[in-house]
Amino acid sequence: MMAQAAAEGKLDTRADASRHSGDYAKIVKGINETLEGAVVPLRDFGGVLDKMAAGDLSAKVTNEYQGDYEVLRTAVNELGAQLQGVQEVMLQLRNAGVAGELDVRGDADRFKGEIAGIVRGVNETLDAVVGPVIETAEVLEKMASRDLTERVTGDYKGDHAKIKNNLNACIGALNALIEDANMMAQAAAEGKLDTRADA
């Protein structure tokens, strides 16, 4: 009955020691106590994991255990600490983005395994988004200082490619306009008053 209950996850099930006498009753009580010793930590760990799954990353297993239960307690708490660390990094990156500090990245080395991979993935996403923005800003800065020789040269896709192509076309159009204006000025200086630019 106890084995069946355990297999079904019915961890509250206990044998009735009063149905037995002598050493048999002691054996049944011992089994019940052993189960109780196993169930208490499992409930403790399960409660903390439930809180983490619901978004409470500050939840920790505070009771101390021995042996394998202590190993499990340490693992659960370490998982919570790693997830809290990711949450801190995401907040840092969000605040940096809002402040316009586009070069800030998360420190993936403070994490392990796939959790480090998540932070690296966010960093790579930021690089993919921010890189074209920075290059475009540099070209626009040159344009603002009347230098129309620069172009956006990065190999971009999607909306970044549209911005690149449109900005480069704008620079091309401005350069053509300047060439035509210079040509008209030169023609006027030479008295060639019939000269016109090709609109």
Side-chain angles (χ1 to χ4, degrees), residues 16-128:
D16 183 0
S18 67
R19 293 183 52 206
H20 306 279
S21 59
D23 286 341
Y24 293 120
K26 289 179 185 176
I27 291 171
V28 171
K29 284 180 186 175
I31 291 171
N32 286 342
E33 289 168 4
T34 299
L35 279 173
E36 195 63 31
V39 168
V40 168
L42 290 177
R43 284 201 181 117
D44 199 5
F45 304 149
V48 169
L49 290 170
D50 279 346
K51 287 179 182 176
M52 286 182 191
D56 179 3
L57 302 180
S58 66
K60 292 196 178 344
V61 180
T62 55
N63 295 324
E64 293 187 10
Y65 297 99
Q66 295 178 354
D68 291 339
Y69 290 125
E70 184 59 22
V71 171
L72 186 55
R73 178 183 86 93
T74 301
V76 168
N77 287 344
E78 178 62 20
L79 172 63
Q82 289 280 305
L83 293 174
Q84 267 190 307
V86 170
Q87 181 185 32
E88 290 166 9
V89 167
M90 295 305 136
L91 184 61
Q92 171 202 12
L93 293 175
R94 183 199 63 128
N95 290 342
V98 168
E101 298 167 358
L102 302 181
D103 59 343
V104 174
R105 297 294 178 269
D107 181 7
D109 292 336
R110 72 182 262 207
F111 303 102
K112 301 173 186 172
E114 293 300 317
I115 294 177
I118 291 170
V119 176
R120 272 193 292 280
V122 170
N123 287 342
E124 290 166 7
T125 301
L126 286 171
D127 289 342

